[in-house]
Amino acid sequence: MGEFNVHRVRFFNYVPSGIRCVAYNNQSNRLAVSRTDGTVEIYNLSANYFQEKFFPGHESRATEALCWAKGQRLFSAGLNGEIIEYDLQALTIKYAVDAFGGPIWSMAASPSGSQLLVGCEDGSVKLFQITPDKIQFERNFDRQKSRILSLSWHPAGTHVAAGSIDYISVFDSKSGSAIGKMLVDRQYMGVSKRKCIIWGVAFLSDGTVISVDSAGKVQIWDSATGTLMKNHLVSNADVKVQIWDSATGTLMKNHLVSNADVQSIAVSPQEDSFVVGTAEGTVFHFQLVSVTSSSSEKQWVRTKPFQHHTHDVRAVAHSPTALISGGTDTHLVIRPLMEKVEVKNYDAALRKITFPHRRLVSCAKKKQLLLFQFAHHLELWRLGSTVATGKNGDTLPLSKNADHLLHLKTKGPENIICSCISPCGGWIACSTASRFFLYRLNYEHDNISLQRVSKMPVFLRSALQILFSEDSTKLFVASNQGSLRVIRLQEGGFTHPRAFQPQSGTVQSMCLLAVSPDGNWLAASGSSAGVHVYNVKQLKLHCTVPAYNFPVTALAIAPNTNNLVIAHSDQQVFEYSIPDKQYTEWSRTVQKQGFHHLWLQRDTPITHISFHPKRPMHILLHDTYMFCLIDKSLPLPNDKTLLYNPLPPTNESDVIRRRTAHAFKISKKYKPLLFVDLLDEKTLVAVERPLDDIVAQLPPPIKKKKFGT
């Protein structure tokens, strides 16, 4: 790999927002995730769980409910009382509708996907018709005495269960009339609680209603007989799961699970299992199993507890092959059900996704500056330096500490979508959903002055990606309408932007940009389309890279050769010659031989690619848990070769070393990695964000008594 001086940066004080709710789409195998800051993310579970789209947060959008409807349409609702539909192509909010019921706590789409129900603070349940372009209010259900915290449709669409405080209501979906009410037992370990909050309900095909609540109960009732079939104590812990009969309002089964709130529930599509999440961070799996091997009678049994979270599990989902959970500790955990996974590859691995699959750090190499992106502000730092020397692996003391040069806060409630600093360090650009900001920086010794460029064009709003040219004279802006703008920068501001218009009149948001070091070529990748390469001087499309089944996670253009290197979510890496409009010989060799199986089984996407300025055969790339230098002059490793330890001991002869060396030099010393790049031919910068530092800034979890304490 060679020797590098490494700036090990740990002062990026980034803390992801907690997960509030999740919604799984069985048709597209995608997962929507909303966070406490209003951000909504979409993960493609078929593409190695890649976060392919996201919608930036907003201070006034505290999302409390999220659901998919017919035609792959995504809706959310929250405490501002509005129902929002998202444009999945342009990556913007399509519209917002006030439900006029106060804060919205719950939402559910009908089984047909043509209707939408919301539960409000004033006790109302409102039904909306989903039209091709919008939603239209249809009617109110019978109003209840307290807020509606959870909703669930019967799979046939005939009835609706609504969880409130102390009781569950059952409605006829056609008339909106309340036809039943089930009072929830407030008793917990012999003590009556003041209120029992029904955090989640699930309506099954046989009429069974399952509820989870703040008293730690999961309640199951038999709708056929309306009687309590059996008290089933599944644990000595203190949480219960209750299953109700919707016809008679009687309790069927009572599961004791935890002494804290059970806050979420999700049922499998086959209705043979369900999962619940608790405020203690535990996820419990229940399955419908036969009473005896020869009996057709079945009962719900708690089969597996999982402790992958440290804080509240606020949301759960159940795909056909995995249990999905998220909560206050910011982790999205995907735990495969091994009996459901057919191929034992990365689909069978436990996933814990913490960081966004996009860049939050940009670098001005010439001045050794780092720009950090937070939700509502940017931070500019100058790297430290040292005059000390040492041997390989030594940690050298700093002669000059890193300097925090700038704290730039954006106005308004909107989160920052993207940001970038120019290679010369003289410009900073960032964008929110409605505003675009461009700043000029001037340095005088240790002082820095900032001047905002005024009167930015309206069409630059909602930029999804920003990138400066290598010589810092141009700024490339990708909008959510599919257009690419080229802004020529000058001392006093900028000249009128020029644009690459979207192809074939389609609206395709561009999420990734790469510009060649000579400034002649611009590569852009959309959220679902392939990679387009544009001629910057002629302002026209040069070529389109052949389509591939998996989304692009990172791309970059090599100096001198103008070869475009593309990384995909399935861990494949392609090299495409822009001048020749075809894949390079090295790329064809890679696809013919194939990557090492351990490389393909990695579960985090490559998020950044760069090149060695003096060694054209070297490619540097990284994901969250490793960075890798690919030497194209060496042979590719096969599956019998050690991928992560390619070099023999140093006392081996040069002949043996050359014979056993291969193209992949991988380091896992620095992690979790948010950014890695070469400052010059001998210097690397690696930005880490240790998970312990994130946990230290979260609110304290519920204290658990441990044996012997």
Side-chain angles (χ1 to χ4, degrees):
M1 180 177 283
E3 291 187 0
F4 295 100
N5 295 320
V6 181
H7 290 271
R8 193 171 187 176
V9 175
R10 289 192 169 189
F11 46 77
F12 182 18
N13 194 26
Y14 171 73
V15 179
S17 296
I19 294 174
R20 181 60 191 91
C21 39
V22 298
Y24 173 69
N25 188 319
N26 193 36
Q27 294 180 351
S28 64
N29 199 24
R30 282 172 169 80
L31 181 75
V33 177
S34 70
R35 296 186 179 269
T36 53
D37 66 350
T39 300
V40 175
E41 304 163 344
I42 298 178
Y43 294 82
N44 188 341
L45 304 192
S46 300
N48 204 2
Y49 304 92
F50 177 60
Q51 184 192 114
E52 63 181 4
K53 301 177 183 180
F54 85 101
F55 300 86
H58 194 286
E59 287 183 350
S60 66
R61 292 202 303 265
T63 303
E64 288 292 326
L66 196 65
C67 74
W68 295 91
K70 188 176 183 180
Q72 312 302 315
R73 297 170 67 174
L74 180 64
F75 295 88
S76 73
L79 300 184
N80 62 355
E82 292 181 340
I83 304 170
I84 294 172
E85 182 175 3
Y86 297 91
D87 189 328
L88 301 182
Q89 291 299 317
L91 300 185
T92 59
I93 292 176
K94 187 180 293 186
Y95 60 84
V97 175
D98 196 326
F100 295 102
I104 298 174
W105 292 94
S106 54
M107 179 172 57
S110 64
S112 65
S114 60
Q115 294 175 308
L116 195 67
L117 271 180
V118 295
C120 303
E121 173 72 20
D122 63 358
S124 63
V125 177
K126 299 178 181 291
L127 180 67
F128 290 83
Q129 192 73 27
I130 300 177
T131 64
D133 299 324
K134 210 172 181 181
I135 60 172
Q136 183 177 347
F137 175 75
E138 190 168 332
R139 66 172 173 272
N140 283 313
F141 284 14
D142 290 347
R143 180 170 293 188
Q144 304 303 298
K145 293 181 180 180
S146 59
R147 65 184 63 155
I148 307 299
L149 293 162
S150 51
L151 288 167
S152 179
W153 288 78
H154 186 278
T158 56
H159 297 84
V160 172
S164 188
I165 298 177
D166 292 337
Y167 63 91
I168 302 166
S169 301
V170 177
F171 298 92
D172 182 280
S173 60
K174 292 185 178 180
S175 65
S177 301
I179 59 175
K181 182 178 288 188
M182 296 170 280
L183 296 177
V184 180
D185 184 14
R186 296 186 185 182
Q187 291 289 325
Y188 164 68
M189 301 292 287
V191 180
S192 179
K193 288 193 171 184
R194 293 177 58 188
K195 291 182 179 180
C196 186
I197 302 171
I198 313 301
W199 289 120
V201 290
F203 222 143
L204 305 187
S205 299
D206 60 0
T208 300
V209 175
I210 308 175
S211 67
V212 297
D213 57 45
S214 61
K217 302 184 298 295
V218 180
Q219 300 179 321
I220 307 173
W221 298 75
D222 186 353
S223 62
T225 61
T227 57
L228 178 63
M229 302 296 294
K230 183 181 179 181
N231 271 327
H232 183 52
L233 185 64
V234 296
S235 171
N236 291 328
D238 309 321
V239 170
K240 288 182 282 186
V241 178
Q242 299 181 327
I243 303 180
W244 299 78
D245 183 336
S246 62
T248 63
T250 54
L251 184 65
M252 291 169 50
K253 193 170 292 187
N254 201 355
H255 291 275
L256 188 64
V257 181
S258 165
N259 60 1
D261 294 35
V262 185
Q263 297 180 314
S264 49
I265 180 172
V267 181
S268 69
Q270 297 80 19
E271 296 187 355
D272 57 355
S273 70
F274 68 88
V275 58
V276 300
T278 73
E280 290 181 324
T282 307
V283 173
F284 293 98
H285 187 207
F286 290 80
Q287 291 179 282
L288 193 61
V289 299
S290 299
V291 176
T292 61
S293 58
S294 59
S295 172
S296 60
E297 183 184 354
K298 295 185 177 182
Q299 66 179 2
W300 289 104
V301 175
R302 196 196 80 181
T303 55
K304 303 183 189 80
F306 306 113
Q307 189 71 48
H308 300 305
H309 296 274
T310 59
H311 292 65
D312 301 37
V313 179
R314 302 295 302 274
V316 293
H318 198 318
S319 79
T321 59
L323 307 179
I324 304 166
S325 57
T328 307
D329 63 3
T330 77
H331 302 311
L332 178 65
V333 177
I334 303 170
R335 190 190 191 283
L337 299 171
M338 298 307 295
E339 65 273 15
K340 302 286 187 179
V341 178
E342 296 180 0
V343 181
K344 305 305 181 192
N345 56 9
Y346 56 69
D347 289 332
L350 173 71
R351 301 297 179 89
K352 184 177 284 189
I353 302 172
T354 305
F355 302 102
H357 295 164
R358 62 186 189 277
R359 289 177 57 185
L360 300 175
V361 181
S362 59
C363 179
K365 300 180 181 180
K366 297 177 182 179
K367 286 188 174 291
Q368 297 201 343
L369 302 175
L370 291 177
L371 182 70
F372 299 143
Q373 177 183 317
F374 296 84
H376 294 283
H377 75 275
L378 304 173
E379 288 185 3
L380 183 64
W381 289 75
R382 179 186 288 125
L383 294 172
S385 60
T386 183
V387 295
T389 59
K391 62 180 183 297
N392 188 23
D394 287 350
T395 300
L396 304 179
L398 288 176
S399 305
K400 184 179 181 181
N401 292 327
D403 293 331
H404 185 190
L405 301 178
L406 183 66
H407 181 101
L408 183 59
K409 183 174 176 60
T410 58
K411 295 181 179 179
E414 298 172 331
N415 284 17
I416 298 173
I417 300 175
C418 56
S419 62
C420 191
I421 186 171
S422 63
C424 70
W427 300 89
I428 288 178
C430 66
S431 176
T432 65
S434 63
R435 304 182 73 182
F436 186 89
F437 302 92
L438 180 63
Y439 299 93
R440 184 72 167 119
L441 283 77
N442 294 299
Y443 303 88
E444 295 181 4
H445 304 291
D446 292 333
N447 297 323
I448 182 172
S449 61
L450 185 72
Q451 179 183 1
R452 180 182 168 186
V453 179
S454 59
K455 299 181 180 179
M456 297 302 297
V458 176
F459 48 72
L460 291 179
R461 296 176 180 175
S462 299
L464 296 179
Q465 191 64 256
I466 304 171
L467 186 64
F468 288 92
S469 62
E470 191 73 17
D471 59 5
S472 303
T473 61
K474 299 183 188 71
L475 175 62
F476 302 94
V477 181
S479 75
N480 59 7
Q481 299 300 316
S483 64
L484 297 172
R485 306 281 178 174
V486 182
I487 301 175
R488 296 187 180 276
L489 303 173
Q490 54 191 18
E491 189 63 30
F494 64 95
T495 59
H496 186 71
R498 305 171 71 184
F500 301 99
Q501 294 302 326
Q503 300 297 311
S504 305
T506 59
V507 177
Q508 175 61 50
S509 54
M510 296 296 176
C511 302
L512 291 172
L513 295 178
V515 63
S516 61
D518 59 16
N520 294 332
W521 307 104
L522 177 68
S525 172
S527 56
S528 58
V531 179
H532 303 292
V533 180
Y534 299 90
N535 188 314
V536 176
K537 291 183 177 180
Q538 299 178 8
L539 289 177
K540 69 176 185 179
L541 179 67
H542 174 70
C543 63
T544 299
V545 179
Y548 188 65
N549 294 332
F550 289 82
V552 178
T553 65
L555 70 165
I557 302 176
N560 303 320
T561 62
N562 282 328
N563 289 336
L564 173 64
V565 179
I566 308 170
H568 293 270
S569 64
D570 64 344
Q571 311 300 352
Q572 294 290 340
V573 179
F574 296 90
E575 186 181 52
Y576 187 84
S577 173
I578 294 176
D580 298 335
K581 298 184 181 180
Q582 64 180 1
Y583 290 111
T584 64
E585 286 300 321
W586 179 82
S587 187
R588 296 179 189 276
T589 301
V590 169
Q591 296 309 309
K592 183 178 180 180
Q593 177 176 334
F595 284 109
H596 197 284
H597 71 281
L598 293 178
W599 175 268
L600 297 177
Q601 289 174 8
R602 292 171 23 259
D603 58 4
T604 54
I606 295 167
T607 54
H608 185 223
I609 302 171
S610 59
F611 305 94
H612 196 287
K614 301 294 185 181
R615 299 173 185 173
M617 300 300 288
H618 288 188
I619 303 172
L620 181 70
L621 41 80
H622 79 89
D623 62 16
T624 306
Y625 296 104
M626 68 93 206
F627 73 87
C628 172
L629 192 151
I630 301 177
D631 188 345
K632 296 189 295 180
S633 65
L634 294 177
L636 294 169
N638 56 42
D639 285 349
K640 297 180 180 179
T641 307
L642 291 175
L643 179 66
Y644 296 116
N645 187 23
L647 295 179
T650 55
N651 58 1
E652 296 286 354
S653 68
D654 290 341
V655 175
I656 296 177
R657 291 173 62 84
R658 284 195 299 269
R659 187 169 64 241
T660 57
H662 60 69
F664 284 71
K665 310 298 186 294
I666 296 174
S667 172
K668 291 189 174 183
K669 181 177 181 179
Y670 311 105
K671 55 186 179 182
L673 280 171
L674 296 184
F675 181 78
V676 174
D677 204 354
L678 281 163
L679 296 177
D680 54 49
E681 56 184 292
K682 294 184 178 180
T683 309
L684 273 172
V685 57
V687 180
E688 298 175 278
R689 187 60 178 141
L691 296 179
D692 291 343
D693 293 351
I694 295 176
V695 172
Q697 298 188 47
L698 297 176
I702 292 178
K703 184 177 181 181
K704 301 178 185 178
K705 182 175 176 58
K706 295 183 179 180
F707 179 77
T709 61

